[in-house]
Amino acid sequence: MRAEIEQLFDNKPAAYTEAHFQLFNEFKQALNDGRIRAAEPDPEAATGWRVNAWVKKGILIGFRIAGIVDWSIDREKLPFFDKSTYPVKRFTGQEGVRIVPGGSSIRDGCYVGKGVTCMPPMYINVGAYVDEGTMVDSHALVGSCAQIGRNCHISAASQIGGVLEPVGALPVIVEDDVLVGGNCGVYEGTVVKRRAVLGTGTILNRSTPVYDLVRQQVYRASDDEPLVIPEEAVIVAGSRAVTSGPGKKWGISVYTPVIVKYRDSRTDTKIQLEDLLR
């Protein structure tokens, strides 16, 4: 399948045939089943993850080959128009996924594991991978190709950024047992390692360094590697003073995420409520 997808992506035929649509449908089903994914664990990579560029190419093919169709439930009251290749993902109830009524949407072409809870309204975009036991809370977004581990909580109004292009760019990774607090944002290929805790309002991206008060280190993205948050880090939204120029004179501070501790038994006790909510 990989070779066929890459050939179709690179050649851009003048017209798409039934065989092309069949290939894409087989590809999309593999995404839905979790048999292929936009990024996957790789112990030899510096981040522990590698991007599967060919999978992202396949997702882009789905936009390229399709026209816009009417997906409306009621054209007068709830009009929806989107690519014919990407309707909402179908569930039968046998998957063990809870989708609580109230306006949530999960796009076709993503994996949602058993025991995932979706609180309304929330959105999971194409290419995302949400592993078993995770909760996606109200007004939360899981962006295209984002990878979410097992038993995570993506709290209300948080955004897990997605990226389709460039195809070689690593999407946002949130590993197992991570708690993402309310109104957080994780963007631009950031990797949040297992059991980390993001306090309310924490923003992580390529341009903002993270200050580790415990280990006395500063974590930054580089030209070649994304920002990586260590395992079990507990991060809060902080600030640092501007130390030169008018900013120093005016007493201005800028936002910065701060690691204030690493998870211990007290931290775990505080988040036991997550298990009771599932």
Side-chain angles (χ1 to χ4, degrees):
M1 181 186 294
R2 175 175 179 172
E4 294 171 290
I5 288 291
E6 291 188 325
Q7 182 179 23
L8 180 58
F9 183 85
D10 294 336
N11 289 345
K12 298 181 181 179
Y16 293 99
T17 67
E18 185 63 31
H20 294 143
F21 281 92
Q22 182 176 347
L23 171 65
F24 173 75
N25 287 332
E26 292 173 358
F27 166 83
K28 188 171 65 172
Q29 188 59 52
L31 279 176
N32 282 322
D33 295 341
R35 290 182 281 117
I36 59 174
R37 51 197 295 191
E40 60 185 294
D42 182 356
E44 296 184 1
T47 62
W49 289 79
R50 64 179 170 86
V51 62
N52 291 322
W54 76 272
V55 174
K56 296 171 78 174
K57 289 179 179 179
I59 295 170
L60 289 168
I61 285 171
F63 290 100
R64 184 188 296 170
I65 68 176
I68 296 176
V69 299
D70 186 349
W71 289 112
S72 303
I73 299 172
D74 183 318
R75 185 177 290 185
E76 296 299 322
K77 297 179 180 178
L78 290 172
F80 297 108
F81 301 90
D82 199 5
K83 293 288 189 175
S84 61
T85 46
Y86 289 119
V88 293
K89 184 178 172 73
R90 294 186 178 184
F91 292 89
T92 65
Q94 302 301 311
E95 299 86 358
V97 175
R98 288 177 57 202
I99 305 174
V100 180
S104 296
S105 183
I106 302 173
R107 208 172 196 178
D108 204 19
C110 64
Y111 175 76
V112 183
K114 183 177 180 180
V116 168
T117 300
C118 302
M119 298 300 293
M122 46 67 65
Y123 185 70
I124 301 175
N125 208 347
V126 61
Y129 187 103
V130 183
D131 215 337
E132 297 181 359
T134 284
M135 175 180 282
V136 184
D137 220 329
S138 300
H139 298 282
L141 164 70
V142 178
S144 55
C145 299
Q147 306 290 297
I148 311 296
R150 292 173 179 245
N151 302 316
C152 295
H153 188 152
I154 311 302
S155 296
S158 289
Q159 296 190 20
I160 308 300
V163 59
L164 267 174
E165 296 182 282
V167 293
L170 191 72
V172 171
I173 308 292
V174 178
E175 294 189 351
D176 296 347
D177 301 302
V178 169
L179 174 60
V180 178
N183 286 288
C184 288
V186 187
Y187 306 110
E188 298 174 341
T190 296
V191 178
V192 182
K193 305 298 282 186
R194 59 182 297 275
R195 287 176 50 80
V197 176
L198 276 58
T200 300
T202 299
I203 306 297
L204 302 174
N205 55 39
R206 294 188 64 88
S207 59
T208 306
V210 177
Y211 289 79
D212 189 337
L213 302 183
V214 180
R215 299 177 179 173
Q216 300 182 34
Q217 297 184 46
V218 181
Y219 306 109
R220 292 183 172 90
S222 68
D223 291 341
D224 301 320
E225 299 293 344
L227 174 65
V228 179
I229 303 302
E231 291 187 7
E232 301 189 325
V234 178
I235 309 177
V236 300
S239 64
R240 57 191 172 97
V242 174
T243 58
S244 62
K248 180 180 180 180
K249 177 183 177 181
W250 295 334
I252 291 176
S253 296
V254 295
Y255 164 78
T256 189
V258 180
I259 297 176
V260 293
K261 62 181 291 186
Y262 283 78
R263 276 177 78 161
D264 55 23
S265 58
R266 286 189 61 196
T267 313
D268 289 339
T269 299
K270 290 179 181 178
I271 63 174
Q272 286 303 310
L273 180 61
E274 307 307 316
D275 292 332
L276 301 177
L277 292 174
R278 294 195 173 98

